[in-house]
Amino acid sequence: MAARSAADHAHVRLSLPGGIDLARALDAASGRPYQHISEIYWSVSSAALQGLVDQVRTTIAELVGELRAAMPDDSQTPTPGQMDHAIRVVVHGDRAHVNVTAAQSSGSGNSSAGRPESEGEEGPFWTLGRKIGGVVVGLATLIGTVAAVWPLLSK
């Protein structure tokens, strides 16, 4: 579908589950006797479909790589524990974050690899700005709740 829509420079029409029943219900609810909805669909661009295909390919390649790394060389099939671990790491995202920096130099210059100075360790989540924002949002929520409940309680 992605290749065909990219070649035609068109969108793909994906039908909704129960779309025919939904179209009939909309026709009946409209009150217009000459209106007829023939189709209800999602219009999806070819770029979105190609991005989805790329994500699936990448996930499958990561899954295969994780399984090959976990399996011994003499084994042909992974154990259920190895499959569970690979799925947990690749699909659910329990993986370590790795930063790769490639050092390059030419001529008589030098180069060093490492973490840039501006990219230090992440600070704590609750910074002063986030604490103030949390208090403001909490107070606004309380005031809104009291304003909504007050008419009900005052009767």
Side-chain angles (χ1 to χ4, degrees):
M1 283 192 306
R4 187 174 51 235
S5 68
D8 297 341
H9 300 292
H11 286 79
V12 175
R13 293 179 177 182
L14 300 176
S15 62
L16 295 170
I20 295 173
D21 296 329
L22 182 60
R24 286 182 190 147
L26 288 172
D27 276 340
S30 73
R32 297 180 183 152
Y34 300 107
Q35 173 180 310
H36 177 71
I37 299 173
S38 60
E39 239 181 325
I40 295 178
Y41 56 86
W42 281 305
S43 180
V44 182
S45 71
S46 61
L49 288 176
Q50 289 171 348
L52 179 66
V53 169
D54 286 343
Q55 286 180 353
V56 169
R57 284 181 189 157
T58 301
T59 302
I60 290 173
E62 289 175 350
L63 185 63
V64 169
E66 190 67 33
L67 283 173
R68 291 188 74 182
M71 290 173 39
D73 291 336
D74 59 346
S75 178
Q76 292 293 324
T77 57
T79 65
Q82 291 168 338
M83 279 296 297
D84 181 51
H85 174 73
I87 289 173
R88 191 174 64 247
V89 168
V90 173
V91 176
H92 299 296
D94 294 342
R95 54 185 128 182
H97 298 284
V98 178
N99 294 325
V100 177
T101 304
Q104 298 177 353
S105 81
S106 63
S108 62
N110 5 351
S111 178
S112 63
R115 175 173 277 176
E117 295 298 323
S118 64
E119 196 183 307
E121 292 294 321
E122 291 183 21
F125 179 78
W126 288 106
T127 61
L128 180 62
R130 287 187 176 172
K131 287 179 185 176
I132 292 171
V135 169
V136 169
V137 169
L139 287 174
T141 303
L142 285 174
I143 291 170
T145 303
V146 169
V149 174
W150 185 262
L152 298 174
L153 297 176
S154 64
K155 288 184 180 184

